[in-house]
Amino acid sequence: MSIRIAPSILSANFAALGEDIRTVEEAGAHLLHVDVMDGHFVPNITIGPPVVKSIRKATKLPLDVHLMISDPDKYIPAFVDAGANMLTVHAEATVHLDRTLNFIRSHNVGAGVSINPATPLVAVEHALGLADMVLIMSVNPGFGGQKFIPYTLEKIRQARQIIESRNYRCIIEVDGGINTDNLPDVITAGAQVLVAGTAIFHAPDPARKIKEMLEIAAPLGYHAKYV
Ligand code: DX5
Ligand code: ZN
């Protein structure tokens, strides 16, 4: 499997979401990244299970649901029922991360764990063996359109090193401020799933932007063997 592009619908036109989703699906996006915010864990509010359920009907793409919410265990069943394929929780938002990841897995969907920029990778080191995906945030979660934080590259490298040395099957996703300029850096560091909101949906031609990203990624994607 090659590098995967996951457009974040946070920067799409919510009044014409179906159309925007069709555009990125036809352009070759691999996953649809859905940002769920509760106004508590992050200072913004977005969408919940009913919207995910509607999106599920509008696309065949796997739904990569990023839960930026406190106490995620409470809502995991509702997002599974709504059609999520991958549920990612924040390590900072759950007291018992091991239990939360097992709880997600018990629902037969992918289990992801995310860390904020300032959270050291070591906080999730032991959980990587339980996770299908680790999401390294490269901006402080809450908003689209922020600037990529370069020190997070080091955490992508650390995650890759741990995953490779222990033969975990966990894949590495990066989210926040990703664009065609920093794409080579994050891929070389070890990221396999690239989330991009503003870079894709605010581009004059989102389909073309996805193709451009895929072209840049293709020759660099040797870490894809871990997917
Ligand atoms: C930020 C979200 C991101 C966001 C990325 O809290 O988790 O998924 O949509 O948007 P860009 O690509 O604009 O940084
Ligand atoms: Zn996200």
Side-chain angles (χ1 to χ4, degrees):
M1 192 182 116
S2 53
I3 292 294
R4 308 251 129 180
I5 306 284
S8 161
I9 58 164
L10 190 60
S11 301
N13 175 5
F14 276 91
L17 193 52
E19 259 172 63
D20 276 7
I21 290 173
R22 242 187 329 277
T23 300
V24 296
E25 185 166 3
E26 282 166 11
H30 302 95
L31 304 160
L32 204 62
H33 186 83
V34 180
D35 288 307
V36 175
M37 305 185 186
D38 65 353
H40 186 258
F41 179 68
V42 288
N44 197 5
I45 299 175
T46 55
I47 60 167
V51 177
V52 173
K53 197 169 177 185
S54 297
I55 295 171
R56 178 67 292 163
K57 293 182 194 140
T59 181
K60 290 197 170 61
L61 291 176
L63 301 183
D64 169 28
V65 177
H66 179 189
L67 297 178
M68 285 160 277
I69 62 176
S70 302
D71 205 359
D73 296 48
K74 248 198 226 165
Y75 303 95
I76 284 162
F79 283 103
V80 171
D81 289 346
N85 299 92
M86 170 76 74
L87 281 177
T88 298
V89 296
H90 269 261
E92 305 87 352
T94 175
V95 177
H96 304 289
L97 178 60
D98 181 287
R99 178 182 286 147
T100 302
L101 291 173
N102 278 310
F103 187 51
I104 297 173
R105 289 172 71 134
S106 74
H107 289 84
N108 294 317
V109 297
V113 58
S114 183
I115 48 172
N116 289 332
T119 301
L121 190 83
V122 71
V124 295
E125 175 181 345
H126 297 291
L128 297 184
L130 268 182
D132 298 290
M133 187 167 85
V134 58
L135 167 51
I136 310 286
M137 286 307 298
S138 43
V139 297
N140 292 293
F143 304 94
Q146 303 180 79
K147 213 170 153 320
F148 180 82
I149 300 173
Y151 71 71
T152 58
L153 283 172
E154 181 55 29
K155 296 201 296 178
I156 298 175
R157 285 186 210 108
Q158 289 169 350
R160 187 186 67 184
Q161 200 270 328
I162 290 168
I163 290 166
E164 284 185 12
S165 67
R166 300 185 193 176
N167 249 328
Y168 290 156
R169 65 197 171 83
C170 181
I171 61 175
I172 303 174
E173 182 177 57
V174 62
D175 180 10
I178 302 296
N179 55 42
T180 41
D181 293 338
N182 54 33
L183 210 62
D185 287 344
V186 294
I187 294 173
T188 309
Q192 297 151 311
V193 183
L194 314 169
V195 178
T198 306
I200 291 173
F201 288 108
H202 291 190
D205 183 346
R208 213 189 122 106
K209 183 57 74 177
I210 288 179
K211 289 182 182 133
E212 222 177 286
M213 293 177 109
L214 288 170
E215 275 162 26
I216 295 172
L220 300 167
Y222 66 95
H223 301 301
K225 69 180 178 184
Y226 296 100
V227 177

Coordinates of all heavy atoms in Angstrom, one line a residue, residues 8-11 33 35 37 42 66 68 137 139-146 175-178 195-199, ligand 1:
S8 N -9.5 16.3 5.1 CA -10.2 16.7 6.3 C -11.4 17.6 5.9 O -11.2 18.7 5.4 CB -9.4 17.4 7.3 OG -10.2 18.1 8.2
I9 N -12.6 17.1 6.1 CA -13.8 17.9 5.7 C -14.0 19.1 6.5 O -14.9 19.9 6.2 CB -15.1 17.0 5.7 CG1 -15.3 16.5 7.1 CG2 -15.0 15.9 4.7 CD1 -16.8 15.9 7.3
L10 N -13.2 19.3 7.5 CA -13.4 20.5 8.4 C -13.3 21.8 7.5 O -13.9 22.8 7.8 CB -12.3 20.6 9.4 CG -12.4 21.6 10.5 CD1 -13.7 21.5 11.3 CD2 -11.2 21.5 11.5
S11 N -12.5 21.7 6.4 CA -12.3 22.9 5.6 C -13.2 22.9 4.3 O -13.1 23.7 3.4 CB -10.9 23.1 5.1 OG -10.0 23.2 6.3
H33 N -11.3 12.1 6.4 CA -11.0 12.5 7.8 C -12.1 13.4 8.3 O -12.3 14.4 7.8 CB -9.6 13.2 7.8 CG -9.1 13.5 9.2 ND1 -8.4 12.5 10.0 CD2 -9.2 14.6 10.0 CE1 -8.1 13.0 11.1 NE2 -8.5 14.3 11.2
D35 N -13.5 15.4 11.6 CA -13.0 16.0 12.9 C -14.2 16.3 13.8 O -15.1 17.1 13.5 CB -12.3 17.3 12.6 CG -10.9 17.1 12.0 OD1 -10.1 16.3 12.6 OD2 -10.6 17.6 10.9
M37 N -15.4 17.7 17.4 CA -14.9 18.5 18.5 C -16.0 18.9 19.4 O -17.2 19.1 18.9 CB -14.3 19.8 17.9 CG -13.2 19.6 16.8 SD -12.5 21.1 16.3 CE -11.4 20.6 15.0
V42 N -11.3 20.6 23.1 CA -10.7 21.6 22.2 C -11.7 22.8 22.2 O -12.9 22.6 22.4 CB -10.5 21.1 20.7 CG1 -9.3 20.1 20.7 CG2 -11.8 20.5 20.2
H66 N -11.8 11.4 13.8 CA -10.8 11.9 14.8 C -11.6 12.6 15.9 O -12.2 13.7 15.8 CB -9.9 13.0 14.0 CG -8.9 13.6 14.9 ND1 -8.2 14.7 14.4 CD2 -8.5 13.4 16.2 CE1 -7.3 15.1 15.4 NE2 -7.5 14.3 16.5
M68 N -11.9 14.6 19.0 CA -11.2 15.6 19.9 C -12.3 15.9 20.9 O -12.8 17.0 21.0 CB -10.8 16.8 19.0 CG -9.6 16.5 18.2 SD -9.4 17.7 16.8 CE -10.5 16.9 15.6
M137 N -0.4 14.8 16.0 CA -0.9 16.2 15.7 C 0.3 17.1 15.4 O 1.2 17.2 16.2 CB -1.7 16.7 16.8 CG -3.1 16.1 17.0 SD -4.1 16.1 15.5 CE -4.3 17.8 15.2
V139 N -0.4 20.4 14.6 CA -0.9 21.7 15.1 C -1.7 21.4 16.4 O -2.0 20.2 16.7 CB -1.9 22.4 14.1 CG1 -1.2 22.7 12.8 CG2 -3.2 21.6 13.9
N140 N -1.9 22.4 17.2 CA -2.8 22.2 18.3 C -4.2 22.0 17.8 O -4.7 22.9 17.1 CB -2.7 23.4 19.3 CG -1.4 23.5 19.9 OD1 -1.0 22.7 20.7 ND2 -0.6 24.5 19.6
P141 N -4.9 20.9 18.2 CA -6.2 20.6 17.6 C -7.2 21.6 18.0 O -7.2 22.2 19.0 CB -6.5 19.2 18.2 CG -5.7 19.1 19.4 CD -4.4 19.9 19.2
G142 N -8.2 21.8 17.1 CA -9.3 22.7 17.3 C -9.7 23.5 16.0 O -10.8 23.8 15.9
F143 N -8.7 23.7 15.2 CA -9.0 24.6 14.0 C -8.2 24.1 12.8 O -7.1 23.6 12.9 CB -8.7 26.0 14.3 CG -9.4 26.6 15.5 CD1 -8.7 26.5 16.7 CD2 -10.7 27.0 15.4 CE1 -9.4 27.0 17.9 CE2 -11.3 27.5 16.6 CZ -10.7 27.5 17.8
G144 N -8.8 24.3 11.6 CA -8.1 24.1 10.4 C -7.3 25.4 10.1 O -7.4 26.4 10.8
G145 N -6.4 25.3 9.1 CA -5.7 26.4 8.6 C -4.6 26.9 9.5 O -4.1 28.1 9.3
Q146 N -4.1 26.1 10.4 CA -2.9 26.5 11.2 C -1.6 26.1 10.6 O -1.6 25.3 9.7 CB -3.1 25.9 12.6 CG -4.4 26.3 13.4 CD -4.4 25.6 14.8 OE1 -3.8 26.1 15.7 NE2 -5.1 24.5 14.9
D175 N -1.4 15.1 11.1 CA -2.6 16.0 10.9 C -2.3 17.4 11.4 O -2.0 17.6 12.5 CB -3.8 15.4 11.7 CG -5.1 16.1 11.6 OD1 -5.2 17.0 10.8 OD2 -6.0 15.8 12.4
G176 N -2.4 18.4 10.4 CA -2.3 19.8 10.8 C -1.3 20.5 10.0 O -0.1 20.2 10.1
G177 N -1.8 21.4 9.2 CA -0.9 22.3 8.4 C -0.1 21.6 7.3 O 1.0 22.0 6.9
I178 N -0.6 20.4 6.9 CA 0.1 19.6 5.8 C -0.2 20.3 4.5 O -1.4 20.6 4.1 CB -0.4 18.2 5.8 CG1 -0.1 17.5 7.2 CG2 0.3 17.4 4.7 CD1 1.3 17.4 7.6
V195 N -3.2 13.8 6.5 CA -4.5 14.5 6.6 C -4.2 15.9 6.1 O -3.2 16.6 6.4 CB -5.0 14.6 8.1 CG1 -6.3 15.5 8.1 CG2 -5.2 13.2 8.7
A196 N -5.1 16.4 5.2 CA -5.0 17.8 4.8 C -6.4 18.4 4.6 O -7.2 17.8 3.9 CB -4.2 17.9 3.5
G197 N -6.6 19.5 5.2 CA -7.9 20.2 5.1 C -7.8 21.4 4.2 O -8.2 21.4 3.0
T198 N -7.2 22.5 4.7 CA -7.1 23.7 4.0 C -6.4 23.5 2.7 O -6.8 24.1 1.6 CB -6.3 24.7 4.9 OG1 -7.0 24.8 6.1 CG2 -6.3 26.1 4.2
A199 N -5.3 22.8 2.7 CA -4.5 22.6 1.5 C -5.3 22.1 0.3 O -5.1 22.4 -0.8 CB -3.3 21.8 1.7
Ligands
DX5_1 C1 -7.4 20.2 13.6 C2 -8.0 19.0 12.8 C3 -7.4 18.8 11.5 C4 -7.7 19.9 10.6 C5 -6.5 20.0 9.6 O1 -7.8 20.2 14.9 O2 -7.7 17.8 13.6 O3 -7.9 17.6 10.9 O4 -8.9 19.8 9.8 O5 -6.7 21.1 8.8 P1 -5.5 21.8 8.1 O6 -5.0 20.8 7.1 O7 -6.1 23.0 7.5 O8 -4.4 22.1 9.1

